[in-house]
Amino acid sequence: TYRFYQNDILYPFGYGLSYTNFTIVPIPNHQNLRSNSDLSLIVNVTNVGMVSSSESVLAFNIPMNNGTNGIPRKELFGFEKVFLKPNESKIIQFFQSSSSVNK
């Protein structure tokens, strides 16, 4: 696991060969900036290649005081696998409750 790993990661999760390329662009959302509310992350995923393919989109939270007192450096709080044709896009929204964000 890389939850507590401090050095550079040689092969991040999902690393591998693909026949296409994807862009993942966050969509500005005023709610994702409030520390006392639920976390909402919205991204636009686009297949910018020439071949239909799937992509696993991962959403991570970086906890306050991460890396100390047994708190992981980052936590996976959402994921979704999408299949997209060339030049096709999909908007994905992830949620995390405020009670689990500030643990």
Side-chain angles (χ1 to χ4, degrees), residues 10-70:
L10 185 57
Y11 298 105
F13 182 82
Y15 180 86
L17 296 175
S18 178
Y19 294 103
T20 193
N21 293 307
F22 292 90
T23 60
I24 302 174
V25 178
I27 296 174
N29 175 10
H30 67 280
Q31 288 183 335
N32 64 5
L33 301 177
R34 296 182 188 160
S35 62
N36 62 349
S37 67
D38 296 342
L39 176 66
S40 174
L41 173 65
I42 305 170
V43 295
N44 185 21
V45 184
T46 303
N47 180 347
V48 295
M50 299 178 68
V51 178
S52 297
S53 189
S54 61
E55 176 74 346
S56 295
V57 182
L58 309 176
F60 290 93
N61 176 34
I62 299 175
M64 296 174 68
N65 300 319
N66 69 68
T68 61
N69 299 325

Side-chain angles (χ1 to χ4, degrees), residues 64-102:
M64 296 174 68
N65 300 319
N66 69 68
T68 61
N69 299 325
I71 298 172
R73 293 173 40 107
K74 60 183 173 182
E75 298 174 311
L76 178 69
F77 74 90
F79 63 93
E80 185 171 333
K81 189 164 194 162
V82 294
F83 184 84
L84 298 172
K85 296 176 183 176
N87 298 312
E88 184 178 13
S89 295
K90 181 175 182 181
I91 293 176
I92 301 174
Q93 189 164 11
F94 299 101
F95 294 101
Q96 186 178 25
S97 68
S98 59
S99 60
S100 61
V101 170
N102 296 317

